[in-house]
Amino acid sequence: MFLAVVIAMVVGLGSSDVKAMQLLERTVADLLYARERTVSSRIKIIAIDEKAEQEYGYFTEWNRQYAAELVEALNQPGMKPAVIGFDVNYISERDQEGDAAFVRAAAEAGNVVTASQAVFRARVYEENGEQVRDNLYVEEFIYPYEALRKVTRYGFSDRFQDVDDFVRFSLLSAQHEGETMYNFSYEVYRTYCDAQGIEPYIPDMDGAGLFGIRYVAKPDHYDRYSWVDVVSGKIPPEYFKDAIVLVGAYAAGMQDQYSVPVSRNSKMYGVEIHANIIDSLCREESYHMAREWHVILVNAILCTAYFFLLRKAGLIVSILSGLGVIGAYLGGALLLYEKGVYVYPAAFIISILLMLVVHMVSRYTAEWMSKRRILKEFKKYVAPQVLDQMRRDGELSIKLGGESREVAVLFVDIRGFTALSEVLSPEQVVEMLNEYLALTTEAIFANGGTLDKFIGDATMAVFNAPIALPDYEAKAVQAALDIVQGASKVNVRIKEKIGREVSFGVGVHCGKAVVGNIGCETRMDYTAIGDTVNTASRLEGKALGGQVVISEELRKRLEGRILTEPLGGMVLKGKAEPMEVHSVLGFATEKEAEQSSGQKQ
């Protein structure tokens, strides 16, 4: 069972390289970490939207004179924004007059940042004799057209999509041929910090220079204005004073929308992603991935501790502790996230749940198999109705030890069996015993008794064990009478087979006995021991063929209900004093019971 639990732990912890697990990890992490907050009022978005395209035509055909007009409309005397970031690639020259107008406006404003591109590709190189893969190797930078490049700051606006195409990380900077270029968001943020005279915050990064984006809000939460309304003066320029102004696509046809963790059901425009990055940088919030070997070590330690707990704890404790460990892990992950460390919790959660499920299934299977084994054992000596009751009461168990309880014990054997066995063939002896044992077993089970054992030609039965049996004394006597009365039918069959008849003597006594499994772990029997058992055996030895002999104690308990004939005091083996014994004639009718009650009075 515990090998299966260990396998479940290893499978859970080792599945992080599987694509399905990677997707699950990111989904769980998004649900855990993504939190909306109030957006910064200093960030404004000017949208290249459908309204603007209706006014100017398709954006790809716009003259850059329009960009110049926007910069001039924003940079009114005393109303200048701290920075204007164009999330637009003005790479190649187009219309000379329009290009020049944009350059003049940007140069005069001194607060414009434009987008550029860094062309990334994966490469493999050798370092210290080992093959190293670099997925963020910069093949080249693609700049704004030369005149614009000279008068503006710029940064690469590439988005980095995760395995599920969600944008969760950004690259702070890239290097190519000795030049360092910051990403567009950070360059806009740096320009804003310079305008405010403050030192820019450097985000938490991993070894590759990637930092996690702590999204502030879902799509459509930042102040947004149409390009047309700003240029026309419909939106007063004072709205943008000292602000961070971002200009970017806001029309579905421009294909600049991405999946983001904070809004899994709707996509976010690229310019809004930049707004979220800048907003989080202004709050000095970011994160980086935890070191992989740290996470593996912590997960392995916690899973191992839970494994040892499973070996000792009960089912309820296992479930509660498993949920507690998962809760504590998630709480710890949240605390680390607030400190800037990002942990994927899904692999650990899956490991714990797998371990718990496998443990529960293994435990259930082991219990089921144990119960099947117990049922197989109990079926040999317990009446079906008794077995059903034990199953309902959950009392099925096999373990060494016993308990002291009140029982009735019945012994029965064949009179003259030794003499018969000497004149019969072995086959005839077996046939005779089978007929006899079938009769005694049927009578015992019919009255709710437990078949204790066969001792040669003798049968021992216990009533009121292993479970309580109402009116067990009467049922024991009834079983004895059924055996004696059934002898005639059995004798017909025995006589047909071996030409002989047999008779049975039965002894029944009641009192305390130790009942339980006696033996050792490798071999045990459910039985009763004690003076009550010995007395019942001695009474059976005194019974004649076809006679049921009971003790005075049993007669008293059933007084008025059974008809008996006193046999006087008999000396039983092991007893110092004679014991009063009785022969049972049968159960009293209602009339006989009333007469007996009247005589007593």
Side-chain angles (χ1 to χ4, degrees):
M1 176 176 75
F2 289 108
L3 177 60
V5 176
V6 171
I7 293 173
M9 176 178 73
V10 173
V11 168
L13 294 180
S15 60
S16 56
D17 290 333
V18 178
K19 180 69 177 290
M21 176 58 78
Q22 292 176 343
L23 298 178
L24 178 62
E25 281 181 334
R26 282 145 180 83
T27 300
V28 173
D30 291 345
L31 293 173
L32 180 64
Y33 300 130
R35 295 289 182 273
E36 285 190 86
R37 289 155 291 166
T38 304
V39 300
S40 172
S41 59
R42 79 188 91 184
I43 299 175
K44 314 289 184 181
I45 294 176
I46 295 179
I48 304 170
D49 55 9
E50 293 178 359
K51 183 177 182 180
E53 288 194 320
Q54 287 174 0
E55 179 73 20
Y56 301 129
Y58 290 116
F59 177 73
T60 54
E61 300 172 359
W62 284 14
N63 189 300
R64 281 156 189 170
Q65 177 65 44
Y66 300 148
E69 293 172 358
L70 178 63
V71 172
E72 291 168 353
L74 289 169
N75 286 288
Q76 296 297 311
M79 301 296 175
K80 288 182 62 174
V83 57
I84 305 172
F86 281 86
D87 183 23
V88 180
N89 288 321
Y90 294 113
I91 296 170
S92 59
E93 294 180 339
R94 185 179 294 173
D95 175 79
Q96 186 174 4
E97 186 176 340
D99 290 350
F102 187 22
V103 169
R104 286 194 301 273
E108 184 177 341
N111 60 355
V112 176
V113 178
T114 56
S116 62
Q117 285 182 289
V119 180
F120 295 94
R121 70 173 177 84
R123 68 161 182 159
V124 178
Y125 62 94
E126 190 171 298
E127 185 176 280
N128 299 325
E130 294 184 1
Q131 295 289 316
V132 179
R133 181 180 179 85
D134 181 8
N135 292 318
L136 296 174
Y137 173 72
V138 180
E139 193 169 65
E140 65 173 317
F141 286 145
I142 300 177
Y143 304 97
Y145 62 90
E146 186 175 356
L148 184 64
R149 175 183 174 186
K150 290 179 179 179
V151 299
T152 62
R153 297 170 74 162
Y154 49 86
F156 60 89
S157 61
D158 308 73
R159 280 88 177 177
F160 296 88
Q161 292 173 276
D162 211 336
V163 293
D164 56 355
D165 295 330
F166 278 64
V167 178
R168 296 184 179 87
F169 296 90
S170 184
L171 185 66
L172 181 69
S173 61
Q175 289 76 39
H176 177 66
E177 295 182 352
E179 181 185 357
T180 297
M181 183 186 294
Y182 289 100
N183 77 36
F184 176 75
S185 303
Y186 196 71
E187 191 61 52
V188 171
Y189 168 68
R190 285 205 316 154
T191 304
Y192 171 75
C193 290
D194 290 346
Q196 300 297 313
I198 58 177
E199 193 70 25
Y201 163 72
I202 300 175
D204 294 318
M205 295 175 287
D206 62 15
L210 289 167
F211 66 92
I213 304 169
R214 296 189 65 170
Y215 285 88
V216 177
K218 293 181 178 181
D220 298 321
H221 275 60
Y222 286 94
D223 292 340
R224 184 179 82 251
Y225 311 93
S226 175
W227 182 309
V228 173
D229 291 338
V230 175
V231 171
S232 66
K234 184 176 181 180
I235 307 299
E238 56 262 31
Y239 279 23
F240 305 99
K241 184 178 184 298
D242 297 327
I244 300 170
V245 177
L246 297 173
V247 183
Y250 230 94
M254 298 182 73
Q255 298 182 341
D256 192 34
Q257 289 178 287
Y258 303 87
S259 297
V260 293
V262 77
S263 177
R264 299 188 63 84
N265 298 322
S266 57
K267 293 188 175 184
M268 180 178 285
Y269 285 101
V271 68
E272 286 186 301
I273 294 176
H274 289 304
N276 272 274
I277 295 173
I278 294 167
D279 201 347
S280 63
L281 289 172
C282 290
R283 299 166 192 255
E284 299 190 354
E285 294 177 345
S286 62
Y287 62 83
H288 67 274
M289 293 299 302
R291 292 183 182 273
E292 186 176 6
W293 73 269
H294 285 172
V295 176
I296 292 173
L297 180 61
V298 171
N299 289 355
I301 290 172
L302 291 176
C303 284
T304 302
Y306 186 59
F307 165 75
F308 283 108
L309 186 146
L310 286 177
R311 298 187 63 180
K312 302 292 184 182
L315 184 60
I316 299 299
V317 173
S318 298
I319 294 173
L320 293 178
S321 59
L323 295 176
V325 169
I326 291 173
Y329 191 89
L330 293 176
L334 281 171
L335 288 176
L336 286 174
Y337 181 71
E338 293 303 320
K339 298 292 183 182
V341 181
Y342 192 90
V343 176
Y344 289 127
F348 177 78
I349 295 173
I350 293 296
S351 297
I352 294 295
L353 292 179
L354 271 178
M355 290 169 68
L356 179 58
V357 169
V358 170
H359 171 69
M360 291 171 64
V361 171
S362 300
R363 184 168 179 168
Y364 172 80
T365 302
E367 289 180 359
W368 180 77
M369 293 179 66
S370 176
K371 285 186 177 181
R372 281 182 59 88
R373 180 172 61 86
I374 293 168
L375 283 171
K376 185 177 179 181
E377 291 298 317
F378 270 111
K379 279 179 180 178
K380 298 175 183 177
Y381 45 77
V382 177
Q385 64 269 30
V386 175
L387 194 60
D388 290 340
Q389 185 62 46
M390 292 172 66
R391 193 170 6 206
R392 285 194 296 269
D393 295 345
E395 294 183 9
L396 282 174
S397 63
I398 291 183
K399 59 183 179 180
L400 286 174
E403 59 173 331
S404 176
R405 65 189 299 163
E406 286 283 338
V407 295
V409 181
L410 177 151
F411 274 88
V412 56
D413 78 349
I414 301 174
R415 289 294 170 257
F417 176 76
T418 302
L420 280 172
S421 62
E422 289 176 354
V423 297
L424 298 175
S425 67
E427 291 79 7
Q428 290 175 317
V429 171
V430 169
E431 285 194 60
M432 178 179 64
L433 281 175
N434 286 344
E435 290 285 351
Y436 151 69
L437 295 176
L439 168 64
T440 58
T441 301
E442 183 181 346
I444 291 164
F445 282 1
N447 289 281
T450 298
L451 180 62
D452 188 299
K453 62 174 68 71
F454 297 126
I455 313 166
D457 66 315
T459 302
M460 173 184 169
V462 179
F463 294 77
N464 202 43
I467 65 169
L469 180 65
D471 202 18
Y472 65 90
E473 299 96 337
K475 289 179 180 176
V477 172
Q478 184 63 62
L481 292 172
D482 290 346
I483 291 171
V484 171
Q485 291 164 6
S488 58
K489 293 181 181 179
V490 171
N491 269 326
V492 172
R493 293 193 294 271
I494 291 176
K495 192 170 184 179
E496 288 176 355
K497 294 178 180 179
I498 65 175
R500 301 274 184 145
E501 292 186 354
V502 296
S503 60
F504 309 131
V506 188
V508 187
H509 181 47
C510 61
K512 282 194 175 293
V514 175
V515 183
N517 288 297
I518 311 298
C520 61
E521 290 292 344
T522 56
R523 172 64 182 171
M524 63 179 76
D525 285 312
Y526 187 84
T527 189
I529 58 174
D531 183 64
T532 298
V533 178
N534 295 335
T535 301
S537 177
R538 302 293 182 261
L539 291 173
E540 174 267 315
K542 297 295 184 180
L544 302 175
Q547 187 178 44
V548 177
V549 176
I550 65 172
S551 63
E552 173 67 11
E553 175 63 25
L554 183 53
R555 186 200 67 79
K556 286 181 179 179
R557 294 193 187 187
L558 298 175
E559 190 169 6
R561 298 176 61 190
I562 58 174
L563 302 176
T564 61
E565 180 182 344
L567 300 177
M570 290 187 179
V571 178
L572 304 181
K573 186 177 179 180
K575 298 289 185 180
E577 299 293 333
M579 174 181 282
E580 290 293 324
V581 297
H582 304 265
S583 174
V584 180
L585 303 178
F587 275 84
T589 63
E590 289 186 12
K591 186 175 180 181
E592 289 170 332
E594 289 174 4
Q595 289 174 350
S596 175
S597 176
Q599 289 171 0
K600 283 184 191 180
Q601 293 175 2

